[in-house]
Amino acid sequence: MIRHILLIAFKPDTLPAQIDAVRTAFLAIPHQVSGVTAVEWGENDSPEGRDDGFTHSVLMTFADEAARQRYLPHPDHDALKAIFRPVLERIIVLDYTLQAGDRVVSEGPL
């Protein structure tokens, strides 16, 4: 499993409707690209003040390397970039392959 993390800073004049269009495009990707198993969208609400101007985040999960390679040149990824790039100020992209033993899931309250 591969995680694909985006930290996003939109241009100051980006309208809420434009941000919503980007959100909608990202959330549609699992239905469009085989092997993209999940997409999460979030707006920063950390009280720590360490966001460095990044306001939104996307977390994508690819089933495997083949899925990531299908996504990168996929026409629906290109369509997403067409609406995303004009409003993008800055972005950080980080991918990692989830290794055995590097994920713990809580079974309930501690």
Side-chain angles (χ1 to χ4, degrees):
M1 182 180 341
I2 298 171
R3 301 282 200 219
H4 179 68
I5 302 169
L6 309 175
L7 299 179
I8 302 161
F10 288 101
K11 291 180 180 176
D13 61 345
T14 303
L15 301 173
Q18 291 171 301
I19 294 173
D20 192 52
V22 172
R23 175 187 174 273
T24 298
F26 269 110
L27 294 176
I29 291 292
H31 303 291
Q32 299 166 329
V33 182
S34 174
V36 177
T37 61
V39 172
E40 295 179 29
W41 171 272
E43 186 171 349
N44 179 47
D45 62 6
S46 173
E48 296 182 71
R50 306 277 308 192
D51 54 63
D52 196 27
F54 293 96
T55 58
H56 293 77
S57 176
V58 174
L59 172 62
M60 300 178 75
T61 303
F62 300 107
D64 52 26
E65 179 60 27
R68 177 168 56 181
Q69 292 305 317
R70 269 191 306 279
Y71 169 73
L72 293 173
H74 197 281
D76 289 312
H77 181 218
D78 289 339
L80 184 155
K81 290 187 290 187
I83 63 168
F84 187 30
R85 285 185 174 160
V87 295
L88 182 63
E89 178 84 12
R90 293 187 308 144
I91 190 167
I92 293 175
V93 179
L94 183 124
D95 288 11
Y96 66 91
T97 301
L98 194 60
Q99 304 294 327
D102 287 347
R103 181 172 187 249
V104 176
V105 178
S106 171
E107 297 297 324
L110 298 176

